[in-house]
Coordinates of all heavy atoms in Angstrom, one line a residue:
M131 N -11.5 -4.1 13.6 CA -11.2 -3.3 12.4 C -10.2 -2.2 12.9 O -10.5 -1.5 13.8 CB -12.3 -2.8 11.6 CG -12.0 -2.2 10.3 SD -13.4 -2.1 9.2 CE -13.8 -3.8 8.8
E132 N -9.2 -1.9 12.1 CA -8.3 -0.8 12.4 C -8.9 0.6 12.0 O -9.7 0.6 11.1 CB -6.9 -1.0 11.6 CG -6.1 -2.2 12.0 CD -4.9 -2.3 11.1 OE1 -3.9 -1.6 11.4 OE2 -5.0 -3.0 10.1
E133 N -8.4 1.6 12.6 CA -8.8 2.9 12.2 C -7.5 3.7 11.9 O -6.5 3.5 12.7 CB -9.6 3.7 13.3 CG -11.1 3.3 13.3 CD -11.9 4.4 13.9 OE1 -11.5 5.4 14.4 OE2 -13.1 4.0 14.1
M134 N -7.5 4.5 10.9 CA -6.3 5.2 10.5 C -6.7 6.5 9.9 O -7.8 6.7 9.5 CB -5.4 4.4 9.5 CG -4.8 3.2 10.1 SD -3.6 2.5 9.0 CE -2.8 1.4 10.1
E135 N -5.8 7.5 9.9 CA -6.1 8.8 9.3 C -5.6 8.7 7.8 O -4.5 8.7 7.5 CB -5.1 9.9 10.0 CG -5.4 11.2 9.6 CD -6.6 11.9 10.1 OE1 -7.0 11.5 11.3 OE2 -7.2 12.8 9.5
L136 N -6.6 8.7 6.9 CA -6.5 8.7 5.5 C -6.7 10.0 4.9 O -7.5 10.8 5.3 CB -7.5 7.6 4.9 CG -7.2 6.1 5.3 CD1 -8.2 5.3 4.6 CD2 -5.8 5.7 4.9
P137 N -6.0 10.3 3.8 CA -6.2 11.5 3.0 C -7.6 11.7 2.5 O -8.2 12.8 2.4 CB -5.2 11.4 1.9 CG -4.2 10.5 2.3 CD -4.9 9.5 3.2
C138 N -8.3 10.6 2.2 CA -9.6 10.7 1.6 C -10.7 11.0 2.6 O -11.6 11.8 2.4 CB -10.0 9.4 0.9 SG -10.0 7.9 1.9
C139 N -10.7 10.4 3.8 CA -11.9 10.5 4.7 C -11.5 10.8 6.2 O -12.2 10.7 7.0 CB -12.6 9.2 4.7 SG -13.5 8.8 3.1
G140 N -10.2 11.2 6.4 CA -9.8 11.4 7.7 C -9.6 10.2 8.6 O -9.4 9.1 8.1
M141 N -10.0 10.3 9.9 CA -9.9 9.1 10.8 C -11.0 8.2 10.4 O -12.3 8.6 10.5 CB -10.0 9.6 12.2 CG -9.8 8.4 13.2 SD -8.2 7.5 13.0 CE -7.1 8.6 13.7
T142 N -10.8 7.0 9.9 CA -11.8 6.1 9.4 C -11.4 4.6 9.6 O -10.2 4.4 9.6 CB -12.2 6.5 8.0 OG1 -13.3 5.8 7.6 CG2 -11.0 6.2 7.1
P143 N -12.3 3.8 9.6 CA -12.0 2.3 9.6 C -11.3 2.0 8.3 O -11.7 2.5 7.2 CB -13.3 1.6 9.7 CG -14.3 2.6 10.3 CD -13.8 4.0 9.8
V144 N -10.3 1.1 8.3 CA -9.6 0.6 7.1 C -9.6 -0.9 7.1 O -9.6 -1.5 8.2 CB -8.2 1.2 7.1 CG1 -8.2 2.7 6.9 CG2 -7.4 0.8 8.2
Q145 N -9.5 -1.4 6.0 CA -9.3 -2.9 5.8 C -7.9 -3.1 5.3 O -7.5 -2.6 4.2 CB -10.3 -3.4 4.9 CG -10.2 -4.9 4.7 CD -11.3 -5.4 3.7 OE1 -11.9 -4.6 3.0 NE2 -11.5 -6.7 3.7
R146 N -7.0 -3.8 6.0 CA -5.7 -4.1 5.6 C -5.9 -5.4 4.6 O -6.2 -6.4 5.0 CB -4.8 -4.5 6.7 CG -3.4 -4.7 6.3 CD -2.5 -5.2 7.5 NE -2.5 -4.2 8.6 CZ -1.5 -3.4 8.9 NH1 -0.4 -3.4 8.2 NH2 -1.7 -2.5 10.0
L147 N -5.5 -5.1 3.4 CA -5.7 -6.1 2.4 C -4.6 -7.0 2.2 O -4.7 -8.2 1.9 CB -6.0 -5.5 1.0 CG -7.3 -4.7 1.0 CD1 -7.5 -4.0 -0.4 CD2 -8.5 -5.5 1.3
K148 N -3.3 -6.4 2.2 CA -2.2 -7.3 2.0 C -0.9 -6.6 2.6 O -0.7 -5.4 2.3 CB -2.0 -7.6 0.5 CG -0.9 -8.6 0.2 CD -1.1 -9.1 -1.2 CE -0.1 -10.2 -1.5 NZ -0.3 -10.7 -2.8
E149 N 0.0 -7.3 3.1 CA 1.4 -6.8 3.5 C 2.1 -7.1 2.2 O 2.2 -8.1 1.7 CB 2.0 -7.6 4.6 CG 1.3 -7.2 5.9 CD 2.0 -7.9 7.1 OE1 3.2 -8.1 7.0 OE2 1.3 -8.2 8.1
L150 N 2.7 -6.0 1.7 CA 3.5 -6.0 0.5 C 5.0 -6.1 0.8 O 5.4 -5.8 1.9 CB 3.3 -4.7 -0.3 CG 1.7 -4.6 -0.7 CD1 1.5 -3.1 -1.3 CD2 1.3 -5.6 -1.7
P151 N 5.9 -6.5 -0.2 CA 7.3 -6.7 0.1 C 7.9 -5.4 0.5 O 7.6 -4.3 0.0 CB 7.8 -7.2 -1.2 CG 6.6 -7.7 -2.0 CD 5.4 -7.0 -1.6
H152 N 9.0 -5.5 1.3 CA 9.8 -4.4 1.5 C 10.8 -4.1 0.3 O 11.4 -5.1 -0.2 CB 10.7 -4.7 2.7 CG 10.1 -4.8 3.9 ND1 9.4 -5.9 4.4 CD2 10.0 -3.9 5.0 CE1 8.8 -5.7 5.6 NE2 9.2 -4.5 6.0
V153 N 10.9 -2.9 -0.2 CA 11.8 -2.6 -1.2 C 12.4 -1.2 -0.9 O 11.6 -0.4 -0.3 CB 11.2 -2.6 -2.6 CG1 10.8 -4.0 -3.0 CG2 9.9 -1.7 -2.7
Y154 N 13.6 -1.0 -1.3 CA 14.2 0.3 -1.1 C 14.2 0.8 0.4 O 14.1 2.0 0.6 CB 13.6 1.4 -2.0 CG 13.6 1.0 -3.5 CD1 12.5 1.0 -4.2 CD2 14.8 0.6 -4.1 CE1 12.5 0.7 -5.5 CE2 14.8 0.3 -5.5 CZ 13.7 0.4 -6.2 OH 13.6 0.0 -7.5
G155 N 14.3 -0.2 1.3 CA 14.2 0.2 2.8 C 12.9 0.7 3.2 O 12.8 1.4 4.3
T156 N 11.9 0.4 2.5 CA 10.5 0.9 2.8 C 9.5 -0.3 2.8 O 9.6 -1.2 2.0 CB 10.1 1.9 1.7 OG1 11.1 2.9 1.6 CG2 8.8 2.5 2.0
D157 N 8.6 -0.2 3.9 CA 7.6 -1.2 4.0 C 6.3 -0.7 3.3 O 6.0 0.5 3.5 CB 7.4 -1.5 5.5 CG 6.4 -2.5 5.8 OD1 6.1 -3.5 4.9 OD2 5.7 -2.6 6.9
F158 N 5.7 -1.6 2.6 CA 4.4 -1.2 2.0 C 3.3 -2.1 2.4 O 3.5 -3.3 2.5 CB 4.5 -1.2 0.5 CG 5.5 -0.3 -0.1 CD1 6.9 -0.8 -0.3 CD2 5.3 1.0 -0.4 CE1 7.8 0.0 -0.9 CE2 6.3 1.8 -0.8 CZ 7.5 1.3 -1.2
D159 N 2.1 -1.6 2.7 CA 0.9 -2.4 3.0 C -0.2 -1.8 2.2 O -0.4 -0.6 2.1 CB 0.6 -2.4 4.5 CG 1.5 -3.2 5.3 OD1 2.2 -4.0 4.8 OD2 1.7 -2.8 6.5
L160 N -1.1 -2.7 1.7 CA -2.3 -2.3 0.8 C -3.5 -2.2 1.8 O -3.8 -3.2 2.5 CB -2.5 -3.2 -0.3 CG -3.6 -3.0 -1.3 CD1 -3.4 -1.7 -2.0 CD2 -3.8 -4.1 -2.3
F161 N -4.2 -1.1 1.7 CA -5.4 -0.8 2.6 C -6.5 -0.4 1.7 O -6.3 0.2 0.6 CB -5.2 0.3 3.5 CG -4.2 -0.1 4.7 CD1 -2.9 0.0 4.6 CD2 -4.8 -0.6 5.9 CE1 -2.0 -0.3 5.7 CE2 -4.0 -0.9 6.9 CZ -2.6 -0.8 6.8
R162 N -7.7 -0.6 2.2 CA -8.9 0.0 1.6 C -9.7 0.8 2.7 O -9.9 0.3 3.8 CB -9.8 -1.1 1.1 CG -11.2 -0.5 0.5 CD -12.1 -1.6 0.1 NE -11.4 -2.8 -0.3 CZ -11.6 -3.5 -1.4 NH1 -12.5 -3.2 -2.2 NH2 -10.8 -4.6 -1.6
C163 N -10.1 2.0 2.3 CA -10.9 2.8 3.2 C -12.3 2.2 3.2 O -13.0 2.0 2.2 CB -10.9 4.3 2.6 SG -12.1 5.3 3.6
V164 N -12.8 2.0 4.4 CA -14.1 1.3 4.5 C -15.2 2.3 4.2 O -16.2 1.9 3.6 CB -14.3 0.7 6.0 CG1 -15.7 0.3 6.2 CG2 -13.3 -0.4 6.2
R165 N -14.9 3.6 4.5 CA -16.0 4.6 4.2 C -16.2 4.9 2.8 O -17.3 4.8 2.3 CB -15.6 5.9 4.9 CG -16.7 6.9 4.8 CD -16.4 8.2 5.7 NE -16.3 7.8 7.1 CZ -15.6 8.5 8.0 NH1 -15.1 9.6 7.6 NH2 -15.6 8.1 9.2
C166 N -15.1 5.0 1.9 CA -15.4 5.4 0.5 C -14.9 4.4 -0.4 O -15.2 4.4 -1.6 CB -14.7 6.8 0.2 SG -12.9 6.7 0.1
G167 N -14.2 3.3 0.0 CA -13.7 2.2 -0.9 C -12.4 2.6 -1.5 O -11.9 1.7 -2.3
R168 N -11.8 3.7 -1.4 CA -10.5 3.9 -2.1 C -9.4 3.1 -1.6 O -9.3 2.8 -0.4 CB -10.2 5.5 -1.9 CG -9.1 5.9 -2.8 CD -9.1 7.3 -3.0 NE -7.9 7.6 -3.9 CZ -7.6 8.8 -4.3 NH1 -8.3 9.9 -3.9 NH2 -6.6 9.0 -5.1
M169 N -8.5 2.8 -2.5 CA -7.3 1.9 -2.1 C -6.2 2.9 -1.9 O -6.0 3.8 -2.6 CB -7.0 1.0 -3.3 CG -8.2 0.1 -3.7 SD -8.4 -1.2 -2.5 CE -8.3 -2.5 -3.6
W170 N -5.4 2.5 -0.9 CA -4.2 3.2 -0.4 C -3.1 2.2 -0.2 O -3.3 1.1 0.3 CB -4.4 4.1 0.7 CG -5.5 5.2 0.5 CD1 -6.8 5.1 0.7 CD2 -5.2 6.4 0.0 NE1 -7.4 6.3 0.4 CE2 -6.4 7.2 0.0 CE3 -4.1 7.2 -0.5 CZ2 -6.5 8.5 -0.5 CZ3 -4.2 8.4 -0.9 CH2 -5.4 9.1 -0.9
V171 N -1.8 2.7 -0.5 CA -0.7 1.9 0.0 C -0.1 2.8 1.1 O 0.2 4.0 0.9 CB 0.4 1.8 -1.1 CG1 1.7 1.2 -0.5 CG2 -0.2 0.7 -2.1
A172 N 0.0 2.2 2.3 CA 0.8 2.8 3.4 C 2.2 2.6 3.2 O 2.7 1.5 2.9 CB 0.3 2.1 4.7
V173 N 3.0 3.7 3.2 CA 4.4 3.7 3.0 C 5.1 4.0 4.3 O 5.0 5.1 4.9 CB 4.8 4.8 1.9 CG1 6.3 4.8 1.7 CG2 4.0 4.6 0.6
F174 N 5.8 2.9 4.8 CA 6.5 3.1 6.1 C 8.0 3.2 5.8 O 8.6 2.1 5.4 CB 6.2 2.0 7.0 CG 4.8 1.7 7.3 CD1 4.0 0.8 6.6 CD2 4.2 2.4 8.3 CE1 2.7 0.6 6.8 CE2 2.8 2.2 8.5 CZ 2.1 1.3 7.8
V175 N 8.7 4.3 5.9 CA 10.0 4.4 5.7 C 10.8 4.0 7.1 O 10.7 4.8 8.0 CB 10.5 5.8 5.3 CG1 12.0 5.9 5.1 CG2 9.7 6.2 4.1
T176 N 11.3 2.9 7.1 CA 11.8 2.3 8.4 C 12.9 3.1 9.0 O 13.0 3.3 10.2 CB 12.2 0.8 8.2 OG1 13.0 0.7 7.0 CG2 10.9 -0.1 7.9
A177 N 13.8 3.6 8.2 CA 14.9 4.3 8.7 C 14.5 5.7 9.4 O 15.2 6.1 10.3 CB 16.0 4.6 7.6
A178 N 13.5 6.3 8.9 CA 13.0 7.6 9.4 C 11.8 7.5 10.3 O 11.3 8.5 10.8 CB 12.7 8.5 8.2
S179 N 11.3 6.2 10.4 CA 10.0 6.0 11.1 C 8.9 6.9 10.7 O 8.1 7.4 11.4 CB 10.2 6.2 12.7 OG 11.1 5.2 13.1
A180 N 8.9 7.2 9.4 CA 7.9 8.0 8.8 C 6.8 7.2 8.1 O 7.1 6.1 7.5 CB 8.5 8.9 7.8
V181 N 5.6 7.7 8.1 CA 4.5 7.0 7.4 C 3.7 7.9 6.5 O 3.6 9.1 6.8 CB 3.4 6.5 8.5 CG1 2.3 5.8 7.8 CG2 4.1 5.6 9.5
G182 N 3.4 7.5 5.3 CA 2.7 8.3 4.4 C 1.7 7.4 3.6 O 1.7 6.2 3.8
W183 N 0.9 8.0 2.9 CA -0.1 7.3 2.1 C 0.0 7.6 0.6 O 0.1 8.8 0.3 CB -1.6 7.7 2.6 CG -1.9 7.2 3.9 CD1 -1.8 8.0 5.1 CD2 -2.2 5.9 4.3 NE1 -2.0 7.1 6.2 CE2 -2.4 5.9 5.7 CE3 -2.5 4.7 3.7 CZ2 -2.8 4.8 6.5 CZ3 -3.0 3.6 4.4 CH2 -3.1 3.6 5.8
E184 N 0.0 6.7 -0.2 CA 0.0 6.8 -1.7 C -1.2 6.2 -2.3 O -1.6 5.0 -2.0 CB 1.2 6.2 -2.3 CG 2.5 6.9 -1.9 CD 2.6 8.4 -2.5 OE1 2.1 8.6 -3.6 OE2 3.1 9.2 -1.7
P185 N -1.9 7.0 -3.1 CA -3.1 6.4 -3.8 C -2.7 5.3 -4.7 O -1.5 5.4 -5.3 CB -3.7 7.6 -4.6 CG -2.6 8.5 -4.7 CD -1.7 8.3 -3.6
V186 N -3.5 4.3 -4.9 CA -3.1 3.2 -5.8 C -4.4 3.0 -6.7 O -5.5 3.0 -6.2 CB -2.7 1.9 -5.0 CG1 -3.8 1.4 -4.2 CG2 -2.3 0.9 -6.0
S187 N -4.1 2.8 -8.0 CA -5.2 2.5 -8.9 C -5.8 1.2 -8.7 O -5.2 0.2 -8.1 CB -4.8 2.6 -10.3 OG -3.9 1.5 -10.7
D188 N -7.1 0.9 -9.1 CA -7.7 -0.4 -8.9 C -6.9 -1.4 -9.7 O -6.7 -2.5 -9.2 CB -9.2 -0.3 -9.5 CG -10.0 0.5 -8.6 OD1 -9.7 0.7 -7.4 OD2 -11.2 0.8 -9.1
L189 N -6.3 -1.1 -10.9 CA -5.5 -2.0 -11.6 C -4.3 -2.5 -10.9 O -4.0 -3.6 -10.8 CB -5.2 -1.4 -13.0 CG -4.3 -2.3 -13.9 CD1 -5.1 -3.5 -14.3 CD2 -3.9 -1.5 -15.2
D190 N -3.6 -1.5 -10.4 CA -2.4 -1.8 -9.6 C -2.7 -2.6 -8.3 O -2.0 -3.5 -7.9 CB -1.6 -0.5 -9.2 CG -0.8 0.0 -10.4 OD1 -0.6 -0.7 -11.5 OD2 -0.3 1.1 -10.3
A191 N -3.8 -2.2 -7.6 CA -4.2 -2.9 -6.4 C -4.6 -4.4 -6.8 O -4.2 -5.3 -6.0 CB -5.4 -2.3 -5.8
D192 N -5.2 -4.6 -8.0 CA -5.5 -6.0 -8.3 C -4.3 -6.7 -8.6 O -4.1 -7.9 -8.2 CB -6.4 -5.9 -9.6 CG -7.8 -5.5 -9.4 OD1 -8.2 -5.5 -8.2 OD2 -8.4 -5.2 -10.4
K193 N -3.3 -6.1 -9.2 CA -1.9 -6.8 -9.4 C -1.3 -7.1 -8.0 O -0.8 -8.3 -7.9 CB -1.1 -5.9 -10.3 CG -1.4 -5.9 -11.7 CD -0.4 -4.9 -12.4 CE -0.8 -4.7 -13.9 NZ 0.1 -3.9 -14.6
M194 N -1.4 -6.2 -7.1 CA -0.7 -6.4 -5.9 C -1.3 -7.6 -5.2 O -0.7 -8.3 -4.4 CB -0.8 -5.1 -5.0 CG 0.1 -4.0 -5.5 SD -0.3 -2.5 -4.5 CE 0.8 -1.3 -5.4
M195 N -2.7 -7.7 -5.3 CA -3.4 -8.8 -4.7 C -3.1 -10.1 -5.4 O -3.2 -11.2 -4.7 CB -4.9 -8.5 -4.7 CG -5.3 -7.4 -3.8 SD -5.0 -7.6 -2.0 CE -6.2 -8.9 -1.7
S196 N -2.9 -10.2 -6.7 CA -2.9 -11.4 -7.4 C -1.5 -12.0 -7.7 O -1.4 -13.2 -8.0 CB -3.7 -11.3 -8.7 OG -3.1 -10.4 -9.6
L197 N -0.5 -11.2 -7.8 CA 0.9 -11.7 -8.2 C 1.4 -12.5 -7.1 O 1.2 -12.4 -5.9 CB 1.7 -10.5 -8.5 CG 1.5 -9.6 -9.6 CD1 2.4 -8.4 -9.7 CD2 1.5 -10.4 -10.9
N198 N 2.2 -13.6 -7.6 CA 2.9 -14.4 -6.6 C 4.1 -13.6 -6.0 O 4.4 -12.5 -6.5 CB 3.4 -15.7 -7.2 CG 4.5 -15.6 -8.3 OD1 5.5 -14.7 -8.1 ND2 4.4 -16.3 -9.3
E199 N 4.7 -14.1 -5.0 CA 5.7 -13.4 -4.3 C 6.9 -12.8 -5.1 O 7.1 -11.6 -5.0 CB 6.4 -14.2 -3.1 CG 7.2 -13.4 -2.1 CD 7.6 -14.3 -0.9 OE1 6.9 -15.1 -0.6 OE2 8.7 -14.0 -0.4
S200 N 7.5 -13.5 -6.0 CA 8.6 -13.0 -6.8 C 8.1 -12.0 -7.8 O 8.8 -11.0 -8.0 CB 9.4 -14.2 -7.4 OG 8.7 -14.7 -8.5
E201 N 6.9 -12.3 -8.5 CA 6.4 -11.2 -9.4 C 6.0 -10.0 -8.7 O 6.2 -8.9 -9.2 CB 5.2 -11.8 -10.1 CG 5.5 -13.0 -11.0 CD 4.2 -13.7 -11.6 OE1 3.3 -13.7 -10.9 OE2 4.3 -14.1 -12.7
L202 N 5.5 -10.1 -7.4 CA 5.1 -9.0 -6.7 C 6.2 -8.1 -6.3 O 6.2 -6.9 -6.4 CB 4.2 -9.5 -5.4 CG 3.7 -8.3 -4.5 CD1 2.8 -7.3 -5.3 CD2 2.9 -8.8 -3.4
R203 N 7.3 -8.7 -5.8 CA 8.6 -8.0 -5.5 C 9.0 -7.2 -6.7 O 9.4 -6.0 -6.6 CB 9.7 -8.9 -5.0 CG 11.0 -8.2 -4.7 CD 11.9 -9.1 -3.9 NE 11.4 -9.5 -2.6 CZ 11.3 -8.7 -1.5 NH1 11.7 -7.5 -1.6 NH2 10.8 -9.2 -0.4
T204 N 9.0 -7.8 -7.9 CA 9.5 -7.1 -9.1 C 8.5 -5.9 -9.5 O 9.0 -4.8 -9.7 CB 9.5 -8.1 -10.3 OG1 10.4 -9.1 -10.1 CG2 9.9 -7.3 -11.6
F205 N 7.2 -6.2 -9.3 CA 6.2 -5.2 -9.6 C 6.4 -4.0 -8.5 O 6.4 -2.8 -9.0 CB 4.8 -5.7 -9.5 CG 3.7 -4.7 -9.6 CD1 3.4 -4.2 -10.8 CD2 3.1 -4.2 -8.5 CE1 2.4 -3.2 -10.9 CE2 2.1 -3.2 -8.5 CZ 1.8 -2.7 -9.8
M206 N 6.6 -4.3 -7.3 CA 6.7 -3.3 -6.2 C 8.0 -2.4 -6.4 O 8.0 -1.3 -6.2 CB 6.7 -3.9 -4.9 CG 5.3 -4.4 -4.4 SD 4.0 -3.1 -4.6 CE 4.5 -2.0 -3.3
K207 N 9.1 -3.1 -7.0 CA 10.3 -2.3 -7.2 C 10.0 -1.2 -8.3 O 10.5 -0.1 -8.2 CB 11.4 -3.2 -7.7 CG 12.0 -4.0 -6.5 CD 13.2 -4.9 -7.0 CE 13.8 -5.6 -5.9 NZ 14.9 -6.5 -6.4
Q208 N 9.2 -1.6 -9.3 CA 8.9 -0.6 -10.3 C 7.9 0.4 -9.8 O 8.1 1.7 -10.0 CB 8.2 -1.3 -11.6 CG 9.2 -2.1 -12.4 CD 10.3 -1.2 -13.0 OE1 10.1 -0.1 -13.4 NE2 11.5 -1.7 -12.9
W209 N 6.9 0.0 -9.1 CA 5.9 0.9 -8.5 C 6.5 1.9 -7.5 O 6.1 3.1 -7.5 CB 4.7 0.1 -7.8 CG 3.6 0.9 -7.5 CD1 2.5 1.2 -8.2 CD2 3.3 1.5 -6.2 NE1 1.6 1.9 -7.5 CE2 2.1 2.1 -6.3 CE3 4.0 1.5 -5.0 CZ2 1.5 2.8 -5.2 CZ3 3.5 2.2 -4.0 CH2 2.3 2.9 -4.0
A210 N 7.4 1.4 -6.8 CA 8.1 2.2 -5.7 C 9.2 3.1 -6.1 O 9.8 3.7 -5.3 CB 8.4 1.3 -4.5
K211 N 9.6 3.1 -7.4 CA 10.7 3.9 -7.8 C 10.7 5.3 -7.4 O 11.7 6.0 -7.2 CB 11.0 3.8 -9.3 CG 11.6 2.5 -9.8 CD 12.1 2.6 -11.2 CE 12.9 1.4 -11.4 NZ 13.8 1.5 -12.6
A212 N 9.5 5.9 -7.3 CA 9.3 7.3 -6.8 C 9.8 7.5 -5.4 O 10.1 8.6 -5.0 CB 7.8 7.7 -6.9
F213 N 9.9 6.4 -4.6 CA 10.3 6.5 -3.2 C 11.8 6.2 -3.0 O 12.3 6.3 -1.9 CB 9.5 5.5 -2.3 CG 8.0 5.6 -2.6 CD1 7.3 4.7 -3.3 CD2 7.3 6.8 -2.2 CE1 5.9 4.8 -3.5 CE2 6.0 7.0 -2.4 CZ 5.3 6.0 -3.1
D214 N 12.5 5.8 -4.1 CA 13.9 5.4 -3.9 C 14.8 6.6 -3.8 O 14.5 7.6 -4.4 CB 14.3 4.6 -5.1 CG 15.7 4.1 -5.0 OD1 16.2 4.0 -3.9 OD2 16.3 3.7 -6.0

């Protein structure tokens, strides 16, 4: 199990739930904090080698887990507009 520094619980074990599509030059992965169960999207800006964490609602996390690839890409483009 991986350990990462999360905003909710600091350095803690995480569960990588899904690699999400790259959009707007940014890589996204869906994680769950093992300690508190909160869902986070890791935001990797590839051009700047920067990493950040964005909270994700249970509803959005469920969509990210269940949508097929083309629907997920469309959803992520909308979800990630704040990072464009």
Side-chain angles (χ1 to χ4, degrees):
M131 188 164 293
E132 296 176 82
E133 282 199 4
M134 295 192 166
E135 184 79 26
L136 294 179
C138 58
C139 294
M141 186 58 77
T142 189
V144 296
Q145 181 181 16
R146 186 184 303 255
L147 300 175
K148 188 169 188 174
E149 290 185 30
L150 301 168
H152 291 78
V153 292
Y154 305 125
T156 304
D157 182 25
F158 300 96
D159 291 333
L160 181 62
F161 287 87
R162 178 185 330 230
C163 176
V164 172
R165 187 174 296 159
C166 73
R168 186 157 185 184
M169 304 284 238
W170 295 93
V171 170
V173 180
F174 303 99
V175 181
T176 52
S179 297
V181 179
W183 293 98
E184 290 297 323
V186 61
S187 69
D188 289 342
L189 179 63
D190 284 349
D192 288 345
K193 286 181 184 178
M194 291 172 184
M195 293 295 292
S196 65
L197 293 174
N198 70 39
E199 190 172 329
S200 71
E201 291 172 328
L202 181 57
R203 179 167 297 284
T204 300
F205 176 80
M206 289 304 297
K207 283 181 179 179
Q208 288 299 320
W209 190 87
K211 278 193 176 200
F213 308 107
D214 184 19

